[in-house]
Amino acid sequence: MAAPPVSKAAVLTAWMPAMLAGIVSAAVLFAVAELAAAFFGPAASPFGSVGAAVVELSPPWLTEFAISTFATADKLVLFISMGIGATILAAGIGVLALRNWTAGALAVAALGVGMVVCVLTRAGAVPADAIPTALGTAVGLFCLRWLIRLLPGPAAPAAGAGADSDAATQDSDQGRRTFLATAGLMAGAAVVMGIAAGAVSAARNGARQVREALGLPAPARPAKPLPEGVQAPVDGAIPFVTPNAQFYRIDTALFVPSVDPADWQLRVHGLVEEDFSIGFQDLLAADLEESYTTLTCVSNEVGGGLAGNARWLGYPLRELLARARPLAEADMVLSTSIDGFTASTPLAVLTDARNALLAIGMNGEPLPLEHGFPVRMVVPGLYGYVSATKWVVDLEVTRFADKTAYWTSRGWSDHGPIKTASRIDVPRAGARVAAGRTAFAGTAWAQHRGISKVQVQLDDGDWADAKLAAEASVDTWRQWYVVRDDVSAGQHRLRVRAWDGDGKLQTETPAPPAPDGASGWHSIEFTAD
Ligand SMILES: Nc1nc2c(c(=O)[nH]1)N[C@H]1C(S)=C(S)[C@@H](COP(=O)(O)O)O[C@H]1N2
Ligand SMILES: [Mo]
C-alpha cells in the first residue's frame, strides 16, 4: 500500500517531540557536565573546551573577522553560535534516535568522545578532567532513551489517521502528557544545575578573593609624576589614564583563567646560562618599578578604541633576563600563558633601557583578573599580540628561526612594532556641534618613538597644526586639540594625521589590521548648526 502523501509541515510536527527530546537531553548533558566540571577545574568544562577548540581551529580570517567585528563581544557571539549549533544538532539526534535508537545512541557517544578529546587537548588539562563530560554524556543518553521510549514509534505521521478509536486517542493524549511532563522536569533540572554550576565556579574562584585581599608593595622606582596638561582641555576628550574598568580587553580565553598567586610560578629557560623559576612572593619582594605605557591591539582599525593607557607596576624584564644571561644566538623570548596563548617578543626590546615589565599592578590595583592576574607582560612599543602575555607562566629564550607564537603561526607578522596612529575623539563621528566656535580633540600614539606633531584638515582646507597636550613619555599616547572660530553651519569632514618622534609622518595609505596593523588617516563627518 502506498503511503499517503505527507506534507513537510506534517513531518516537522510529527518530529517535534523527538526534537524536543534531543534538545532537553542535550541540556541535561551540558548541565550535568558543567556542574561536575565546576568541581574539577576550568579545563574540564566541555562547552568551554569545545569553544577553545573552535577558536584554535578557526581559520585566521574568521578569528580576525570575529575580533574586529565583535571586538570584546567575540566570546559572547561564539557561545551563542555554539548554543544554536548544539540545539540544531540535538534536535537532529532526537529524530535519529526515534527512527533508529542504535544510530542515535552512537551519535551521542561519538559527540561525547569528541568533547572529551577537546577537553583533554586543552592547555592545563589532566586525564581526570574527562570525567564531567563522560558523566554528562551518560546522563544525557539515559534521558534521551527515557524520552524516546515515551514516544510512539516512527510511524508515518498520517498513518492511522481517521482510524483512531476514542480509547486510542485518550491513550495518546495520556502519553503526550507524560512525555511533556517528563521533558519539562528534565529541562527544569537542567536549568537548576546550570545555575548551580555558575554559582559553584564563582565560589571556587580563589583568585578573585585573593586579589581583593592583596596589597601591592610600594615601587622602589615610582613612575615619573604626570606633567601638567597631559589632558587636552576640551570637553569629551578621553581620560589620559584609562580606568581599569574601561580598558579594552582582547584575548583568546573563553573563561578568564583563575590563577592563585600562591600557586603562580614563572619559569625562565631556553637559550640561557641559568634557568630558574620565581614565585609571586619573589616579585613582591623585588625592587619594583612603575611606569605609564599605552597598550594597543594590532586588530585596532583606524579610529578604533583598542588602545588604553595605564600605570603599570612590575619587575623589569631586562633585570629578570640579565639574571638568566641569554646566549649570544638568542633573539626572541617566547612567553606562554597558563591558557596556552603564546607571544614571541624580540629579545632586544626586553633587554634595552625601555620599561618592559613583568607587571603585577595596574593603576594602583592588582591586575584585574581579565587583564592577567596575577602577572602579565607589558612592553612599550609593540602590539599586544607579540608582547603583552597575560597570566604568563613561562619565558623561553629562543630564536625567531626556531619558534612561532599563537598569532605569528596564523599569518600575523612576527615583529609587531606599533604603527604611528592618530584618532579624532571630539566630535564623535556623525555628531551635531554648534556652528562658529568649535573644539576638536583626539589622541595620537607611536609608542617608544613619541608624537612630535599632529595636523588636522577641515573639509578641503589647508592642513593646520594642532596643539599638543603635554607628553608623559614616548611610551604613552599624546592628546591634541584645535579650536576653530569659523566652522560654518552644514556638513563637514575632519581629518587628522600625526608625525612620530623621529619626524616620520604616519602612513596615509589605508591598510587592514592583518598582518601587521592598520594604517591610514582617520577622518569623521559631523554637522554644525
Ligand atoms: N594569555 C593571553 N594574553 C594575551 C592575549 C591572549 O589572547 N591571551 N592577547 C594579547 C593581545 S592580542 C592584546 S592586544 C593584549 C590586550 O591586553 P588587555 O586585554 O589587557 O587590553 O593582550 C595580549 N595578551
Ligand atoms: Mo591584540
Side-chain angles (χ1 to χ4, degrees):
M1 194 185 88
V6 177
S7 76
K8 270 197 185 140
V11 170
L12 267 183
T13 315
W15 282 356
M16 215 90 98
M19 291 170 156
L20 184 66
I23 293 168
V24 168
S25 308
V28 172
L29 183 162
F30 280 110
V32 167
E34 296 296 341
L35 180 54
F39 293 93
F40 279 69
S45 153
F47 210 68
S49 301
V50 172
V54 171
V55 172
E56 185 78 20
L57 299 176
S58 288
W61 64 262
L62 182 61
T63 327
E64 194 216 315
F65 167 82
I67 288 183
S68 57
T69 311
F70 310 117
T72 33
D74 55 346
K75 295 167 195 26
L76 188 63
V77 172
L78 172 70
F79 283 137
I80 291 173
S81 325
M82 279 173 58
I84 294 171
T87 307
I88 294 172
L89 198 62
I93 289 179
V95 173
L96 181 64
L98 178 67
R99 301 172 69 120
N100 181 337
W101 169 251
T102 312
L106 281 177
V108 175
L111 287 171
V113 170
M115 290 193 291
V116 165
V117 170
C118 290
V119 165
L120 291 180
T121 51
R122 209 161 155 203
V126 294
D129 287 333
I131 294 172
T133 304
L135 182 70
T137 306
V139 178
L141 198 55
F142 174 79
C143 290
L144 183 63
R145 180 73 191 142
W146 190 343
L147 289 173
I148 292 291
R149 278 226 170 114
L150 293 176
L151 291 176
D164 276 356
S165 70
D166 275 2
T169 310
Q170 260 173 23
D171 230 34
S172 75
D173 274 357
Q174 178 63 34
R176 191 175 306 130
R177 272 199 292 276
T178 311
F179 171 79
L180 286 177
T182 312
L185 276 177
M186 287 179 182
V191 169
V192 170
M193 286 187 290
I195 293 170
V200 170
S201 47
R204 287 176 52 96
N205 188 337
R208 171 158 292 129
Q209 285 136 29
V210 175
R211 179 184 180 274
E212 260 145 40
L214 187 74
L216 289 181
R221 272 158 292 166
K224 202 166 63 146
L226 290 177
E228 246 179 67
V230 290
Q231 186 74 44
V234 170
D235 275 354
I238 61 158
F240 178 78
V241 178
T242 315
N244 290 356
Q246 272 160 253
F247 208 95
Y248 80 96
R249 172 188 168 201
I250 293 286
D251 53 63
T252 58
L254 298 172
F255 299 99
V256 175
S258 165
V259 185
D260 186 335
D263 303 330
W264 179 85
Q265 279 232 318
L266 178 76
R267 204 178 143 221
V268 184
H269 63 111
L271 301 175
V272 292
E273 282 180 41
E274 190 195 330
D275 44 63
F276 58 91
S277 291
I278 58 165
F280 196 70
Q281 286 305 324
D282 303 322
L283 280 184
L284 292 182
D287 279 351
L288 300 182
E289 181 170 310
E290 201 168 35
S291 59
Y292 289 91
T293 294
T294 300
L295 287 190
T296 308
C297 182
V298 69
S299 296
N300 195 44
E301 302 279 353
V302 170
L306 299 181
N309 183 42
R311 178 164 45 94
W312 305 97
L313 171 72
Y315 186 62
L317 278 156
R318 59 174 185 279
E319 285 173 25
L320 193 77
L321 289 165
R323 200 179 135 190
R325 282 173 286 137
L327 302 181
E329 68 257 40
D331 65 2
M332 185 261 271
V333 174
L334 186 73
S335 50
T336 305
S337 157
I338 193 144
D339 68 353
F341 171 86
T342 53
S344 51
T345 312
L347 181 62
V349 305
L350 298 178
T351 48
D352 69 13
R354 81 186 75 193
N355 301 321
L357 293 179
L358 202 52
I360 62 169
M362 181 177 184
N363 292 328
E365 282 177 32
L367 292 178
L369 299 186
E370 61 274 22
H371 293 290
F373 184 80
V375 185
R376 73 173 304 167
M377 290 181 32
V378 172
V379 182
L382 302 185
Y383 287 121
Y385 81 105
V386 288
S387 69
T389 305
K390 305 190 270 188
W391 316 287
V392 63
V393 291
D394 189 285
L395 297 182
E396 180 184 357
V397 178
T398 175
R399 287 150 31 97
F400 278 107
D402 297 340
K403 295 270 164 87
T404 56
Y406 190 91
W407 288 111
T408 60
S409 51
R410 287 166 172 77
W412 292 72
S413 166
D414 58 5
H415 285 60
I418 297 174
K419 294 181 179 176
T420 304
S422 54
R423 186 179 73 192
I424 300 162
D425 297 325
V426 183
R428 292 263 153 219
R432 303 191 85 89
V433 304
R437 193 176 161 84
T438 297
F440 306 128
T443 315
W445 59 80
Q447 287 91 317
H448 211 56
R449 302 187 298 282
I451 290 292
S452 59
K453 183 159 95 167
V454 171
Q455 288 188 330
V456 296
Q457 182 195 40
L458 185 62
D459 304 319
D460 295 321
D462 291 335
W463 284 94
D465 286 356
K467 287 210 170 60
L468 286 180
E471 177 178 70
S473 88
V474 292
D475 295 334
T476 57
W477 58 20
R478 193 161 182 187
Q479 301 200 349
W480 59 264
Y481 60 100
V482 175
V483 181
R484 298 267 304 228
D485 289 317
D486 56 347
V487 179
S488 58
Q491 177 90 19
H492 295 281
R493 184 186 67 156
L494 185 71
R495 290 213 288 170
V496 65
R497 63 186 187 186
W499 280 258
D500 72 8
D502 304 329
K504 198 160 173 281
L505 172 62
Q506 83 178 83
T507 308
E508 179 178 11
T509 317
D516 62 357
S519 66
W521 295 345
H522 186 212
S523 78
I524 60 150
E525 294 194 350
F526 67 94
T527 310
D529 48 20

